[in-house]
Amino acid sequence: MNYLESAANLKSLIEKANIQLLASNEAKLQEPNKALLRTNFGKEVSLPMEEFTNSFVQKILSEYESEAIVISDFVATRENDKELHYFLYKGYHKLFNKGLVYYQLVNKATYEPIGELQFSNIEDNIFYSVEEPKDEESSCNAVETKENTVKNPSIAFLIGHMNEERLLFDINRLIFETANNVQKHKGRNFTFHIQVSKFGGTVKREFIKQLDRLKTDIDKYIHSTYPNSQFILDLDELK
C-alpha cells in the first residue's frame, strides 16, 4: 500500500466525515457521534456511534477489515471566558503510528459551520497495530535555510540511516507528520528540503528507484492535499 496515497486518503476521509456530520445535524443536534470507516477494499462505510469511547471503536474495528477510521464527537466547552462549540474528528490509519485530530467550529444555535475544518494536533494511534522496521529511528535534524522568511519558511531536514528500509520509512513519516503540522499556518507557504544520507556505504540501485517513486508520490498526493507544503528530496551519497 502506498504510504503518501494513504495519507491523502485519510485526510479526505476526515473531510467527508465533517460534511456528513454537518448535514445530519443541520439546524438541530441529532447525531453528535459518528464513525466513517474505509475498508481494506476501499469501500467507505458510515456508522452510528452509541458512545465516543475506545471500547466502542475497537468493537467497530473487530467487525470490519479496515485500513482507516474517523470518529467524531460534539464538544461544548469554555476557553478564555468564551463558549466554543465544535465537532471533533480523530482519524487513524493502519499504516501510521500517529492519528490526526481535526475540529470544525459551529454556531451553537444553528450548528452551521464557522470557518473551515481545522487541524488540531497529532496523537498516538492506539487502534491499529502498525508494523515498522525494527532498527532505531533515523537521525534527523532540522535547520533554517538562507531563503527562510516569516511568510515563506524554508526548512532543511538532514535525515540519515545505515538501513535503507528504515530510512525510507522515516522519510515517509516525516513528510506525513510535517505536512499536517503546518496546517495550523495556512497563511504561510512552507518549503521543506529533505537531504537524505545513507550512512556507512553506497546506496543500492533499488533505493534510488524508491526515492524517485517517492518524489512522484509527493507531487501526486501531498502537494495537492497540502498546498502550503512543498517538499524537495535530494540524495547525498556518502563515500
Side-chain angles (χ1 to χ4, degrees), residues 105-122:
L105 288 170
V106 295
N107 184 297
K108 67 177 182 179
T110 65
Y111 299 98
E112 293 180 349
I114 299 174
E116 299 178 347
L117 181 68
Q118 299 290 327
F119 172 77
S120 175
N121 60 282
I122 289 175

Side-chain angles (χ1 to χ4, degrees), residues 109-159:
T110 65
Y111 299 98
E112 293 180 349
I114 299 174
E116 299 178 347
L117 181 68
Q118 299 290 327
F119 172 77
S120 175
N121 60 282
I122 289 175
E123 64 176 28
D124 289 337
N125 182 353
I126 61 174
F127 295 114
Y128 291 100
S129 180
V130 179
E131 295 184 6
E132 61 178 83
K134 292 182 172 57
D135 297 82
E136 292 184 3
E137 292 183 12
S138 300
S139 168
C140 186
N141 296 294
V143 295
E144 293 181 356
T145 73
K146 61 182 180 181
E147 293 84 15
N148 183 68
T149 64
V150 173
K151 186 70 175 178
N152 299 290
S154 179
I155 309 296
F157 289 104
L158 312 177
I159 185 168

